Amino acid sequence: MKQSIFIDIIIWLFLIIFAVFILTPIVFMFTASIMSSRNIMKIPYPWISGEFKWENYWQAIKGNDGKFFYLKSIWNSFLVASLTTIGTVLLCSLTGYGLAKYRFKGRTFIFLMILSTMMIPFEAIMIPLYLIVTNMGMQDTYAGLIVPLLMNAFGIFMMRQYLLTFPDELIDAARIDGTSEFGIYWRIVLPNSLPAITTLAILTFRSQWDNLLWPLLVIQSPEKKTIPLYIIQFATEKYTNEGAMMAAAVIASIPMFVLFFTLTKYFLSGAELFAARKD
Amino acid sequence: MYLRTLERKKAFWGFVFTIPAIVFFAIFSFYPMANAFWMSFFRKELLSLKAPKFIGFNNYIYLFKSEAFWNSIKATTIFAIGTFIPMVVFSLIFAALILTRRRFQKFLQMAYYSPAVLSSVVAAAIWLLIFDPRGLSNQFLNFIFSTKGIDYHWLSNESMLRFATIIVYFWKYVGYFTIIFVAGMASIPRSVHEAAIIDGANKWQDFFYITLPLIKPTTLLVSVMSMIQCLRTFSTQYLFVQGGAPLKPIDVITLNIYNTAIRDRQIGRASAMSVILFSIIMSFSYLQIKFSKTEDVTY
């Protein structure tokens, strides 16, 4: 009995030490975002400095050149991520529905071709993609950021798996009532697949919100930059204002934290989905 | 008669619904892939109006002779192996330990997962400050080794810089994989463990002889997934270099492709590198699919 208490304490210590390691940088981000550079770089780091330098947030939004590009990049990120999410949800669920509930020639082939694109890493095709987008005249536009990411094989796969279990009776009943095939998708299938749609929506929104590489290639004009590009720029300025950089980081993280704490279930199920990808 | 036309109509609509996907993947996946292969045989420069010149395998020959390319392969390999092994081992341990906790289980899961919520650029920006000579990382090491004021050169020393990028990635994703393992372990029926305990197994034996074999598919999947993830790393290295760290030790292959195409404008050469990256990741993806198909367990 005594030994098991001892082991218990060891396990708790181990888990807590790692929880501290994991949480420290996040706490650092929040505390540093309200400190002056002098305090951030003080040895030892004053976790509770009693300083509330809210100007950092003002500085982050205003930017070092006073042009308020952060507000614009927040809006850009929001717009690009939302539009991509709406498009992805609609297109992936439509394809997933077609593949799950209709039999037609080449269905399996199409499905396998779509699945095979999961093997193509984005980083390996980014250069030709960049050339395509340039040729289509979408360089330095929102469309250039959105269109190439409007669909993904994983989203289609997920929607198909979910819709395989969708009750046929509902679909048939609607068909007998004279609903058009597209109407069935729009009015019956779409509203009734909210759990899968929410997960897909969160995954899509988040990956666009995070995306650095693609905007880095496509976007040149400062007023079209997204949040990751703005933060990069902050880190590369000659006289980095550490506090303001952390303030910008906090602002960039808020939407994700809010989503995480309100929709934890979907966040975690997004992770679990990968584990369930076995079938 | 009615049924047959209905079947036909349904087949028609089913096909119509997949048309957007067919068009999309043709333009934005298959064509670029084929194009990367094609362009890897040409000398083509970005923004240049000169017609691309066919040079056969010369881009590949150039790469295999180029020191910078092998440096990238080395940097990528060190980063991928150095990150993926601890990530898999620790996420497995964390998941096993978290599941033994009755209290604060949800809290621990969420705490470990929280860095995965941050975007990768934010993560890199936080750690850039932590690795500053006056930052927390030096303070921590000085505390551990009870030294005073030593600068461990996190961002300037070659091995320390590599280690620094590994820490960022490990920190960001270990919780994510922990959650996957938790899901895998929690799906093992309780009765299996109970049977083992009744048969006289202790907790260690239960873990090594019951849990570990039963979550083998999850372990393989996590291994391959995290490996692929590591091979695709970009943001951390990019931000660190922008922040003033030397490029060479962390010039991973994605960063090299980006720089070759955009800074040096060598599209052909970058395409050849893309094809090599694709082949490497593809072989891992193949393993992933093979494992996930054949290694199904039944309880």
Side-chain angles (χ1 to χ4, degrees), chain A residues 209-229:
Chain A
W209 192 263
D210 279 6
N211 204 342
L212 166 70
L213 188 50
W214 188 236
L216 203 55
L217 281 164
V218 176
I219 296 301
Q220 278 82 40
S221 24
E223 70 272 13
K224 285 188 186 129
K225 284 188 170 165
T226 53
I227 290 177
L229 296 183

Side-chain angles (χ1 to χ4, degrees), chain B residues 98-254:
Chain B
I98 284 177
L99 277 175
T100 64
R101 302 298 95 186
R102 275 207 207 94
R103 268 192 285 178
F104 302 117
Q105 203 190 80
K106 248 297 67 89
F107 170 78
L108 284 169
Q109 282 186 39
M110 279 170 76
Y112 280 43
Y113 187 83
S114 56
V117 177
L118 300 174
S119 67
S120 41
V121 175
V122 167
I126 297 173
W127 283 94
L128 190 65
L129 294 188
I130 293 180
F131 290 135
D132 186 277
R134 296 156 294 171
L136 282 177
S137 56
N138 274 337
Q139 294 179 28
F140 176 74
L141 284 193
N142 280 322
F143 170 74
I144 293 282
F145 300 132
S146 46
T147 48
K148 219 169 172 233
I150 292 180
D151 177 8
Y152 289 91
H153 298 284
W154 287 89
L155 294 177
S156 46
N157 175 288
E158 190 164 311
S159 356
M160 285 306 269
L161 177 56
R162 284 195 175 122
F163 185 48
T165 58
I166 289 175
I167 289 182
V168 178
Y169 224 71
F170 174 80
W171 170 77
K172 187 158 187 320
Y173 288 106
V174 73
Y176 177 78
F177 291 116
T178 303
I179 297 291
I180 297 184
F181 273 124
V182 165
M185 289 178 189
S187 69
I188 300 173
R190 192 175 280 270
S191 57
V192 179
H193 293 297
E194 278 163 3
I197 303 284
I198 289 170
D199 287 345
N202 61 31
K203 289 225 159 108
W204 290 102
Q205 288 165 332
D206 178 52
F207 179 73
F208 281 106
Y209 297 112
I210 306 292
T211 309
L212 221 43
L214 283 180
I215 57 156
K216 202 173 147 208
T218 313
T219 315
L220 290 171
L221 206 67
V222 166
S223 311
V224 181
M225 262 172 61
S226 57
M227 191 70 191
I228 293 175
Q229 187 93 322
C230 292
L231 291 170
R232 299 174 52 184
T233 175
F234 177 81
S235 307
T236 312
Q237 283 81 0
Y238 182 79
L239 186 96
F240 276 21
V241 171
Q242 297 293 309
L247 170 67
K248 204 179 158 236
I250 52 171
D251 188 16
V252 288
I253 196 155
T254 46

Side-chain angles (χ1 to χ4, degrees), chain B residues 43-75:
Chain B
R43 173 174 295 130
K44 180 174 163 46
E45 283 180 31
L46 185 67
L47 304 176
S48 151
L49 293 174
K50 258 189 292 171
K53 188 169 166 263
F54 184 82
I55 52 166
F57 281 98
N58 274 346
N59 280 326
Y60 292 94
I61 294 169
Y62 173 88
L63 286 181
F64 285 124
K65 281 184 183 160
S66 127
E67 208 182 305
F69 173 72
W70 286 112
N71 174 57
S72 272
I73 295 283
K74 186 180 160 198

Side-chain angles (χ1 to χ4, degrees), chain A residues 151-168:
Chain A
M151 275 196 182
N152 60 79
F154 183 66
I156 292 176
F157 175 75
M158 199 183 100
M159 290 309 303
R160 177 188 172 267
Q161 297 306 93
Y162 179 80
L163 290 172
L164 279 177
T165 59
F166 196 85
D168 285 322

Side-chain angles (χ1 to χ4, degrees), chain A:
Chain A
M1 200 57 211
K2 238 184 197 161
Q3 206 199 355
S4 85
I5 290 174
F6 180 68
I7 289 175
D8 219 44
I9 291 171
I10 299 269
I11 291 178
W12 269 121
L13 268 179
F14 184 75
L15 287 174
I16 289 168
I17 286 173
F18 265 93
V20 169
F21 163 72
I22 298 262
L23 293 175
T24 300
I26 298 179
V27 176
F28 172 77
M29 170 177 79
F30 281 107
T31 53
S33 76
I34 47 169
M35 274 186 209
S36 57
S37 295
R38 205 169 45 90
N39 263 340
I40 295 172
M41 289 306 160
K42 206 161 140 187
I43 299 174
Y45 180 71
W47 289 99
I48 304 156
S49 64
E51 188 183 22
F52 294 98
K53 204 168 171 282
W54 299 109
E55 296 100 279
N56 284 339
Y57 283 85
W58 178 240
Q59 186 73 44
I61 291 169
K62 198 174 65 159
N64 286 347
D65 49 5
K67 284 185 177 156
F68 290 95
F69 277 131
Y70 196 37
L71 285 181
K72 194 73 187 30
S73 64
I74 292 172
W75 168 246
N76 291 339
S77 271
F78 191 74
L79 191 76
V80 168
S82 315
L83 290 176
T84 314
T85 304
I86 294 169
T88 304
V89 164
L90 292 178
L91 290 170
C92 286
S93 60
L94 182 72
T95 314
Y97 171 57
L99 290 169
K101 290 295 182 193
Y102 292 87
R103 315 198 145 269
F104 54 92
K105 245 193 206 149
R107 179 177 77 150
T108 318
F109 178 73
I110 293 172
F111 183 52
L112 286 177
M113 287 310 268
I114 292 174
L115 277 192
S116 75
T117 64
M118 273 208 256
M119 285 210 187
I120 305 177
F122 183 82
E123 290 75 5
I125 57 169
M126 63 183 182
I127 302 305
L129 260 184
Y130 168 70
L131 298 178
I132 294 172
V133 162
T134 310
N135 284 336
M136 288 176 156
M138 295 194 293
Q139 201 205 11
D140 205 24
T141 64
Y142 295 130
L145 287 183
I146 295 168
V147 175
L149 297 167
L150 267 184
M151 275 196 182
N152 60 79
F154 183 66
I156 292 176
F157 175 75
M158 199 183 100
M159 290 309 303
R160 177 188 172 267
Q161 297 306 93
Y162 179 80
L163 290 172
L164 279 177
T165 59
F166 196 85
D168 285 322
E169 296 80 8
L170 263 176
I171 296 173
D172 288 335
R175 198 169 278 141
I176 291 165
D177 287 346
T179 316
S180 69
E181 295 299 317
F182 185 77
I184 295 174
Y185 158 74
W186 187 250
R187 280 189 289 176
I188 311 290
V189 174
L190 204 53
N192 283 305
S193 32
L194 267 181
I197 285 177
T198 314
T199 306
L200 180 59
I202 289 177
L203 288 174
T204 313
F205 190 89
R206 183 177 162 193
S207 66
Q208 270 291 42
W209 192 263
D210 279 6
N211 204 342
L212 166 70
L213 188 50
W214 188 236
L216 203 55
L217 281 164
V218 176
I219 296 301
Q220 278 82 40
S221 24
E223 70 272 13
K224 285 188 186 129
K225 284 188 170 165
T226 53
I227 290 177
L229 296 183
Y230 183 87
I231 292 176
I232 289 275
Q233 198 185 319
F234 234 99
T236 56
E237 302 263 341
K238 264 233 165 82
Y239 306 99
T240 312
N241 181 342
E242 291 88 357
M245 185 162 90
M246 286 300 100
V250 169
I251 298 172
S253 311
I254 286 171
M256 286 303 125
F257 274 118
V258 170
L259 278 180
F260 179 54
F261 284 114
T262 49
L263 299 165
T264 312
K265 198 177 87 187
Y266 295 102
F267 256 87
L268 299 186
S269 74
E272 283 160 14
L273 258 173
F274 277 102
R277 216 159 70 169
K278 286 187 296 249
D279 48 356

